[in-house]
Amino acid sequence: MKQGHTIEQFLTFFVGGEELAINILRIREIVAYRTPTRIPGAAAALRGVINLRGTVVPILDLGIKLGLGEHPVSKNTCVVVVEVILDGHLTGVGVVAESVGQVVELSPGDIEQPPALGMRIQGNAVIGLGKLATSFFPILDVDALLGHGSELHGALGAAFGEEHARGLPPGGGPEEGREATPARPRAPHATPR
Amino acid sequence: MDVGHEAILRVFLAEAEESFLDLEEALIRLESYPDDEEALGTLFRRVHSLKGDASSLGFERVTAFAHAMENVLDRLRSHALFVGRELVTVLLRCIDELRRMVPAAPSGGDVVSEEGKALLDQLAAMLGGGALDLPEAEARQQGVAPTYRPGGQARTLRVDVEKLDRMLGLVGEIIVARNRMGRALASEEGREGTREGTLEMAREGAPGRSEMAQSQEETDRLFTELRSTIMQARMVPIGHTFRGYTRAVRDLAGKAGKIARLKIEGQEVEVDTRIVEQIRDPLTHMIGNAIGHGIEPPAARVAAGKDPCGRIVLRARHAHGAIVVEVADDGAGLDRGKILEQARALGLVGEGAEPPDEELFQCVFHPGFSTAQAITTSAGRGVGMDVVRRNVEAVRGSVSIESRAREGCTITLRLPLTLAIIEGFTVGVGTERYVLPLDAIQECIDLPERERENCERRGVINLRGRPLPYLRLRALLRVGGAAPVRESVVVVEHEGKQVGLVVDELEGKSQMVIKPLGPLLQGLPGLSGSTILEDGEVALILDVGGVCRLALQEGAHGGLGPHGNSGALGAHGAHGALGAHEARELPHGVARRPRMSVPPTGRT
């Protein structure tokens, strides 16, 4: 709350036709989409990995992860590389976006708490609703989405080969994003940093 | 000034840790050989220089503590005191106290604990009653001049391993970029974008182009050299890790009412730092097991005609482009009876079956396997052996066990030289490419025509009269599309067993920089990492151990046809009971059994 009066910048992008936003400080770069190398046995929301200047970066499909539906790759499709701290290391994770929207500046007054009902995206992945002249867009909590405790982390192994599909923990599937209740230091509706 | 001071502190802490290891080693040696002047000299020198260093940094309490130890050592040197078990124990505990104090010293938290005070009293008692209250002035006087280490030492630098990793990654990237340029040059000539294309162009093309190609080759050579230089920088002698166990062996044995000493061989063998980190836990497990179960109590040893003091050997050596680390004890060996009993209880071995030792002992790698009757701090042989195998396989190594009743047990770890680079063999399946570690590959053959009609996931072919179970990677990895007319079989070996992996295409071998898959994707079975191919695409590196286990275990599920189940009910039943997840972890020896019952005739 100390930084409550600062204006912050957010990048908006489209997934499943929905305009989403991420704090620009968490975004490393935006690169053109290229077909990732598929990872057998990984959760469906993980499309695979790409080579980003020598680093292998996992590519996440938010459409599947957040249940917004899949979208064909077009010439506007791109990868938003987001920074998350995993196992103590700053790690880049790519998020597939149908297209990039705009950079918006919001003061704390422009951010509403997400309503309990009526949202296409369930659960704690949304930390607020950004207000623009005509519309609202959900602001995503990158740590809840990708960090420790999100069900993408660690629970992937079981889906390797057909007889192992049974080994998936119940409710651990990638589509059930709202099942995950990661322990997070902040309340989900806290003012963005 | 601040930065300089920080750096000095870091060096001090690192050197202190080194000193502690030396001290422990020397003390334990002295316990066995009280007349060893050299060990005594080392002890004295190390404590003295620790005291000097601490004093020059103004750590008075550490200085005083070390001084008290030095006094006792001085008496030992002048033969006014004699080395005994008790004295060694007290001095070892003094080292523990220093271990605790030294890291806290920079922040002023290096207070002597209650236990430390008791130790000081004990030291004083050894000196003949006089209290050991050191006038601090004395300590300071000794440390007026900062210790100066004479030259002649190699100039060294401590570097973060991650920096070296980054350097290695960059070299790999440069090679990818270089290859791209090579292809661009070649395609401009209207040739195919292969490396051969570049070379051919050099021969036929204009002089300018030939020069370009030449310098390309030149840089290639330089990059290879640069890469191996960085690789060497990552290597550390394994002795440092080994020496940490000298103390552990003595103390653990003491707690178990046994006597044991550690012998170290091959401590100069250099290993990749990452591998050293990964095998620390396995070594601890194995040494704990050797003491808890291998080494007999002294009386039993004497009765068996052995030295009452048990011997554990940690040995490292190079063998066939790999590093072999052995943990050997001269104890009673694995208890066949108990292992068989436990294996039957877990359903790993059928009732009435009497598998050979080699096969039976594989069971100890099964999760949850233990013959320990009581849970002790050193656990039971078998507890944690699954962890040992998992850790070793995580660094692309393998583990095997050899035991002789009454003579002892040797566990052998085979580890790659490095984790940074792999000699890889690229295979194509559909539109995807995967990398297999070359050292696991024995040969490549064509899939016999007969088997092409068999579009099953797996089958058995005749490899020079022996049955070779095979598995289609296309099915295992769920690659889409239909198989081509010609398929190839890559014969891989893992822990002495052969498995065929059916692929569409063999693309050849090359040196590759291994890229970890990162925390999000860690622990996927069958995958050990990834690499960036020459064209810049990411390819996954298959973990042969994991893939073989999948293949062999699937064989046990009756995938081999009507013969597959005969005589394998024990193993088969176990799978059903354990469920999919555990079944994946079944040791090979067991899962392999059904395959052995398949008649080799009539399958080719």
Side-chain angles (χ1 to χ4, degrees):
Chain A
M1 288 296 179
K2 273 179 248 163
Q3 304 160 345
H5 294 290
T6 44
I7 289 175
E8 291 189 279
Q9 290 186 314
F10 296 82
L11 176 83
T12 76
F13 55 94
F14 290 87
V15 175
E18 183 103 2
E19 189 171 18
L20 307 170
I22 287 179
N23 191 322
I24 215 159
L25 295 177
R26 301 299 296 269
I27 295 173
R28 187 182 290 174
E29 63 188 300
I30 300 165
V31 294
Y33 182 81
R34 59 195 110 146
T35 310
T37 300
R38 187 181 65 95
I39 310 276
L46 270 165
R47 279 210 191 168
V49 289
I50 59 164
N51 166 18
L52 191 62
R53 292 186 306 278
T55 308
V56 174
V57 173
I59 300 297
L60 182 71
D61 190 327
L62 280 186
I64 296 176
K65 166 89 177 152
L66 299 174
L68 297 172
E70 283 176 84
H71 208 268
V73 172
S74 74
K75 67 176 182 7
N76 289 327
T77 307
C78 58
V79 173
V80 181
V81 183
V82 177
E83 289 183 334
V84 198
I85 291 177
L86 290 169
D87 286 350
H89 292 278
L90 194 61
T91 311
V93 177
V95 167
V96 183
E98 282 136 35
S99 62
V100 168
Q102 54 189 325
V103 174
V104 291
E105 292 191 342
L106 298 175
S107 64
D110 300 327
I111 300 172
E112 301 274 327
Q113 286 195 7
L117 286 172
M119 295 271 296
R120 270 185 80 192
I121 307 168
Q122 302 282 324
N124 54 7
V126 178
I127 41 176
L129 282 183
K131 237 186 316 187
L132 274 186
T134 53
S135 63
F136 287 102
F137 53 85
I139 298 171
L140 298 181
D141 181 343
V142 174
D143 295 307
L145 207 54
L146 307 170
H148 275 287
S150 73
E151 74 280 17
L152 278 173
H153 189 274
L156 309 166
F160 199 89
E162 57 196 28
E163 45 276 276
H164 305 304
R166 282 179 284 141
L168 266 176
E175 302 83 0
E176 293 170 68
R178 64 203 192 87
E179 294 286 324
T181 47
R184 292 192 311 117
R186 293 179 305 112
H189 53 267
T191 311
R193 285 137 292 173
Chain B
M1 163 63 203
D2 264 335
V3 176
H5 189 64
E6 281 265 309
I8 290 169
L9 277 182
R10 262 206 307 279
V11 172
F12 169 68
L13 292 176
E15 281 184 358
E17 186 43 48
E18 195 89 15
S19 297
F20 297 149
L21 282 177
D22 277 347
L23 285 170
E24 287 177 347
E25 201 174 50
L27 273 170
I28 288 166
R29 174 145 184 91
L30 216 52
E31 192 178 11
S32 306
Y33 308 95
D35 299 327
D36 192 329
E37 293 289 333
E38 206 185 308
L40 191 56
T42 306
L43 267 179
F44 196 81
R45 270 196 312 278
R46 282 298 199 174
V47 171
H48 185 76
S49 63
L50 181 74
K51 186 181 82 168
D53 288 350
S55 159
S56 68
L57 286 164
F59 304 149
E60 288 171 11
R61 285 175 290 255
V62 173
T63 311
F65 200 90
H67 185 79
M69 288 175 72
E70 200 184 349
N71 279 343
V72 172
L73 293 173
D74 203 30
R75 295 288 179 91
L76 284 179
R77 227 166 40 158
S78 58
H79 302 287
L81 259 178
F82 292 97
V83 183
R85 192 177 159 76
E86 193 198 345
L87 176 72
V88 168
T89 305
V90 169
L91 286 174
L92 283 174
R93 281 169 55 204
C94 286
I95 295 169
D96 291 340
E97 182 70 10
L98 279 176
R99 262 214 179 93
R100 201 188 50 72
M101 286 171 76
V102 164
S107 58
D110 54 335
V111 253
V112 180
S113 69
E114 284 307 314
E115 204 197 326
K117 282 179 191 146
L119 287 170
L120 282 177
D121 290 343
Q122 274 174 288
L123 289 179
M126 284 171 191
L127 289 177
L132 268 178
D133 277 332
L134 300 165
E136 281 190 8
E138 191 201 335
R140 213 173 276 148
Q141 223 174 21
Q142 293 220 338
V144 169
T147 21
Y148 169 71
R149 281 173 206 279
Q153 277 183 2
R155 289 205 305 159
T156 57
L157 188 64
R158 281 174 193 274
V159 183
D160 200 338
V161 181
E162 270 171 35
K163 277 190 197 157
L164 291 176
D165 281 351
R166 185 75 195 126
M167 281 160 81
L168 215 52
L170 286 173
V171 174
E173 266 313 279
I174 294 172
I175 293 173
V176 170
R178 197 204 67 93
N179 287 334
R180 210 176 293 146
M181 190 163 87
R183 267 196 307 279
L185 281 172
S187 64
E188 220 169 90
E189 287 281 301
R191 289 173 207 282
E192 264 201 286
T194 60
R195 270 182 299 177
E196 284 76 17
T198 320
L199 289 174
E200 244 174 77
M201 186 185 71
R203 263 177 252 121
E204 298 166 14
R209 293 205 173 275
S210 122
E211 221 168 89
M212 259 193 256
Q214 222 169 24
S215 65
Q216 277 253 345
E217 268 177 55
E218 175 84 12
T219 49
D220 210 11
R221 196 179 55 73
L222 289 172
F223 284 136
T224 312
E225 200 177 319
L226 176 58
R227 190 191 266 186
S228 65
T229 310
I230 300 173
M231 292 287 315
Q232 271 156 22
R234 292 169 52 102
M235 308 291 267
V236 290
I238 201 163
H240 183 80
T241 310
F242 279 3
R243 283 164 56 207
Y245 292 102
T246 309
R247 171 83 184 271
V249 166
R250 176 193 181 270
D251 290 0
L252 278 175
K255 265 183 214 156
K258 298 172 183 177
I259 314 169
R261 291 294 172 267
L262 182 71
K263 189 164 186 294
I264 291 169
E265 288 174 21
Q267 55 174 316
E268 70 291 339
V269 171
E270 294 200 324
V271 188
D272 191 295
T273 41
R274 281 279 149 82
I275 294 179
V276 169
E277 285 161 25
Q278 276 284 332
I279 64 166
R280 207 163 272 153
D281 280 354
L283 285 180
T284 310
H285 272 300
M286 290 187 291
I287 284 176
N289 280 342
I291 293 167
H293 282 250
I295 304 288
E296 314 92 326
R301 288 183 65 88
V302 173
K306 294 182 188 174
D307 183 347
C309 176
R311 201 166 80 140
I312 296 173
V313 184
L314 267 179
R315 190 182 292 129
R317 61 189 159 86
H318 286 274
H320 309 297
I323 286 173
V324 173
V325 174
E326 287 174 352
V327 183
D329 67 59
D330 64 350
L334 294 183
D335 189 334
R336 186 183 158 94
K338 271 191 199 167
I339 290 174
L340 195 57
E341 191 184 308
Q342 174 85 3
R344 285 194 178 135
L346 286 172
L348 300 174
V349 170
E351 283 302 328
E354 289 282 340
D357 281 358
E358 177 210 341
E359 217 165 277
L360 179 68
F361 292 158
Q362 289 289 327
C363 292
V364 303
F365 294 113
H366 186 78
F369 191 94
S370 171
T371 61
Q373 272 151 5
I375 307 289
T376 63
T377 43
S378 57
R381 187 166 293 238
V383 170
M385 285 308 282
D386 62 318
V387 177
V388 169
R389 186 170 73 179
R390 208 176 310 136
N391 274 27
V392 169
E393 287 187 353
V395 293
R396 292 185 289 112
S398 66
V399 52
S400 62
I401 195 161
E402 199 187 318
S403 169
R404 281 185 202 180
R406 293 178 300 282
E407 280 177 37
C409 169
T410 301
I411 301 172
T412 306
L413 311 182
R414 287 185 69 86
L415 303 161
L417 283 173
T418 174
L419 287 185
I421 285 191
I422 188 174
E423 200 64 51
F425 188 82
T426 313
V427 297
V429 186
T431 55
E432 300 180 0
R433 279 173 298 173
Y434 294 91
V435 172
L436 290 161
L438 194 65
D439 53 17
I441 298 178
Q442 291 190 325
E443 59 182 310
C444 298
I445 52 174
D446 282 343
L447 185 69
E449 222 165 301
R450 261 188 73 107
E451 294 295 323
R452 280 176 215 156
E453 295 153 24
N454 167 20
C455 290
E456 293 286 309
R457 264 177 100 134
R458 50 188 163 259
V460 177
I461 52 171
N462 182 339
L463 181 67
R464 289 184 292 274
R466 286 175 42 176
L468 175 77
Y470 70 80
L471 182 79
R472 280 198 163 80
L473 278 188
R474 173 181 296 279
L476 180 78
L477 304 170
R478 295 183 170 177
V479 180
V485 183
R486 237 190 92 180
E487 286 175 284
S488 299
V489 183
V490 181
V491 182
V492 294
E493 196 234 300
H494 181 68
E495 287 173 8
K497 280 113 199 169
Q498 287 183 321
V499 179
L501 301 174
V502 179
V503 301
D504 295 358
E505 250 168 276
L506 307 171
E507 295 195 359
K509 58 167 191 172
S510 59
Q511 250 195 12
M512 301 166 183
V513 176
I514 298 171
K515 304 275 176 182
L517 276 172
L520 271 183
L521 291 164
Q522 241 161 30
L524 284 174
L527 302 179
S528 66
S530 63
T531 188
I532 294 170
L533 297 176
E534 285 178 353
D535 59 6
E537 291 290 316
V538 181
L540 300 174
I541 302 171
L542 296 179
D543 155 30
V544 168
V547 169
C548 283
R549 254 199 297 291
L550 284 171
L552 291 167
Q553 164 223 328
E554 286 180 349
H557 274 290
L560 302 178
H563 307 293
N565 290 330
S566 57
L569 293 171
H572 196 96
H575 286 210
L578 288 168
H581 185 69
E582 279 88 352
R584 209 170 55 227
E585 302 287 337
L586 272 181
H588 303 170
V590 176
R592 187 174 62 114
R593 297 183 59 242
R595 172 170 70 91
M596 297 312 285
S597 64
V598 174
T601 49
R603 295 293 276 182
T604 29

